[in-house]
Amino acid sequence: MQLAEQVTFGGGGLDRAALRRGDAVWLDDAWGKGRVLPLWRGKPLCCEDGLGWVPCANPVPAERRARAIFLGLADGAPHFAVDISDWRPDEIPDTLGLFLDPSEQRHPDLPEDHLFRELRRVMPGLDPLQAELAATAKGICEWHRTHRFCSRCGQPSRMVDAGWRRVCEACSTPHFPRTDPCVIMLILQGNSVLLGRSPGWPEGMFSLLAGFIEPGESVEAAVRREVAEETGIRVGRVGYLASQPWPFPASLMLGCRGEALSREITVDPAEIAEARWVPREEMLAVIAGESADIRPPRPGAIAGYLIRRWLADRLD
Ligand SMILES: [Zn+2]
């Protein structure tokens, strides 16, 4: 069977050139010859071939130069992101913020064939480097949008280091971009994998169990706790498989495997609508889109990648 080469957002080898973030002279020069990705309300600018990079001299990013974020060097060129969420299109659709917002926006001063699109819809078609740039841009723009005030004293903070830090104007506390670690786990017993569905998910949509890691908790402990809370199943040995940055809005998915020590399922109805053991043969039909009651995993999400690795006997 065909195996995805790697996880979407799983790392494209972007040179983040982090030592340049505080070098204003170097950054000015880089801006002069660089490319920039505008984002509007978390949606990257896209063209037919992928992300819609534009020259930094374009007036839309240029007038927002002070809050441009330096992403790094890719294909030998400096790459930036700029949030233009202050732009008001003529029409603001009521699908904004939906899981798969189908709406597209065109800015009158950006190239005519470039549109703002929901990243979930375009991510499966991006190559690894473009996907890493998109995830980085979306994640850090969202962090700035939602962390404008100091969490220590409540006063406004300002962006420094080309977008990679904020500093409080009043108490000088530094604030760094936030990433929230989550575990997502392939829980196996014998020839079966454990799938669950959250309340409110579309009919037939199942995935691996997942949850946020809590302060003071190890990855292994989080896997065992989440599975026990959601399904009542006890998990023994836990191992790490792969990770995926998931900028919706700020997660880092840590893909794990776990050996179930029990089989009986008792769901917590607040978190899980239904959980079930799915045998390997049935899972092959699910992946092929041939199952009558379980949809195939969503393209780009790490759950599908982990399941395909398991089905191909490539967990080790
Ligand atoms: Zn402060």
Side-chain angles (χ1 to χ4, degrees):
M1 80 180 303
Q2 186 168 8
L3 185 68
E5 281 303 308
Q6 73 165 68
V7 186
T8 301
F9 304 134
L14 172 64
D15 175 4
R16 296 179 177 236
L19 295 176
R20 300 295 193 182
R21 291 170 184 166
D23 186 339
V25 173
W26 188 90
L27 286 166
D28 273 346
D29 181 59
W31 179 261
K33 57 192 181 196
R35 305 202 291 168
V36 57
L37 180 68
L39 292 98
W40 181 76
R41 305 231 184 154
K43 299 164 73 166
L45 190 66
C46 295
C47 62
E48 199 175 331
D49 298 330
L51 300 178
W53 299 98
V54 296
C56 296
N58 179 290
V60 174
E63 67 188 29
R64 297 167 174 91
R65 164 76 179 95
R67 57 174 195 265
I69 294 156
F70 175 56
L71 300 174
L73 299 169
D75 303 324
H79 282 60
F80 294 84
V82 69
D83 189 345
I84 70 153
S85 296
D86 54 335
W87 169 58
R88 295 271 170 259
D90 292 338
E91 189 186 338
I92 297 193
D94 53 12
T95 53
L96 271 186
L98 285 189
F99 192 76
L100 280 176
D101 167 23
S103 73
E104 299 177 335
Q105 287 75 36
R106 197 185 93 68
H107 191 294
D109 299 324
L110 290 170
E112 197 166 343
D113 58 347
H114 286 33
L115 299 163
F116 290 102
R117 292 191 174 126
E118 162 61 44
L119 182 57
R120 276 195 182 89
R121 292 178 56 215
V122 298
M123 65 189 184
L126 300 177
D127 70 33
L129 178 57
Q130 292 293 303
E132 181 176 351
L133 286 160
T136 305
K138 178 172 165 61
I140 198 157
C141 283
E142 180 66 11
W143 175 67
H144 285 292
R145 202 174 66 76
T146 55
H147 290 75
R148 290 159 45 223
F149 297 92
C150 176
S151 56
R152 181 176 294 271
C153 77
Q155 293 300 304
S157 60
R158 66 186 170 88
M159 178 191 286
V160 296
D161 284 353
W164 290 92
R165 190 163 55 101
R166 298 186 70 88
V167 173
C168 175
E169 304 273 19
C171 76
S172 302
T173 297
H175 299 281
F176 295 92
R178 173 175 167 168
T179 297
D180 300 331
C182 286
V183 284
I184 180 161
M185 40 276 183
L186 194 66
I187 300 300
L188 301 172
Q189 202 205 38
N191 202 31
S192 298
V193 62
L194 182 64
L195 298 187
R197 45 182 271 107
S198 294
W201 279 8
E203 193 64 33
M205 183 172 163
F206 282 78
S207 188
L208 301 178
L209 302 186
F212 287 103
I213 301 178
E214 297 186 343
E217 194 172 43
S218 68
V219 169
E220 293 85 349
V223 168
R224 296 189 185 103
R225 176 183 54 76
E226 284 286 345
V227 176
E229 284 175 2
E230 295 185 348
T231 63
I233 289 170
R234 288 182 296 114
V235 173
R237 198 171 57 145
V238 170
Y240 168 80
L241 293 172
S243 68
Q244 180 183 45
W246 193 244
F248 304 101
S251 295
L252 173 64
M253 309 303 291
L254 299 167
C256 296
R257 64 184 296 182
E259 280 177 21
L261 301 175
S262 61
R263 195 168 174 91
E264 189 179 325
I265 294 172
T266 311
V267 297
D268 170 5
E271 293 208 43
I272 294 287
E274 183 187 352
R276 62 164 90 163
W277 290 105
V278 179
R280 176 182 291 261
E281 298 71 27
E282 187 182 345
M283 201 65 230
L284 282 164
V286 169
I287 293 280
E290 293 163 358
S291 166
D293 54 358
I294 300 180
R295 296 185 191 190
R298 281 179 291 122
I302 192 173
Y305 169 82
L306 297 175
I307 290 168
R308 278 189 288 271
R309 264 181 70 172
W310 169 62
L311 291 174
D313 279 328
R314 286 175 58 177
L315 288 185
D316 298 314

